[in-house]
Amino acid sequence: AADRGELRMFRLSAGGEPIAMQLGIFSGGVYYTPKVAYDERYAKVSPGQVLMRLVMREVAGQGARAFDFLGPHA
């Protein structure tokens, strides 16, 4: 994915420290998010959800037409 220019990595920081990260692949107009992680010390402020919103806005601006969470349908 990196060789094809499809790999995306996003980080949310607080006080210079990463508190959430997301690894994704943007291919064919679809953003796939196979890995999301956050620092559990910040769970009360949902850093993973904050980062997800920022990522969705970013990839939409890059032309994404779909966002695939790669999990069971809910």
Side-chain angles (χ1 to χ4, degrees):
D3 289 343
R4 293 187 305 274
E6 298 174 346
L7 183 64
R8 301 289 189 273
M9 294 179 73
F10 296 93
R11 177 180 74 177
L12 179 67
S13 298
E17 295 289 323
I19 62 171
M21 296 188 77
Q22 187 176 117
L23 175 68
I25 298 172
F26 188 21
S27 178
V30 179
Y31 180 78
Y32 302 91
T33 178
K35 187 63 179 170
V36 179
Y38 68 94
D39 186 328
E40 292 183 8
R41 294 177 295 171
Y42 295 89
K44 290 183 180 182
V45 294
S46 303
Q49 295 298 316
V50 172
L51 181 59
M52 187 72 69
R53 181 180 174 101
L54 295 171
V55 169
M56 291 176 87
R57 188 180 327 176
E58 176 71 20
V59 297
Q62 295 175 8
R65 58 178 171 69
F67 198 100
D68 191 333
F69 294 94
L70 296 173
H73 295 288

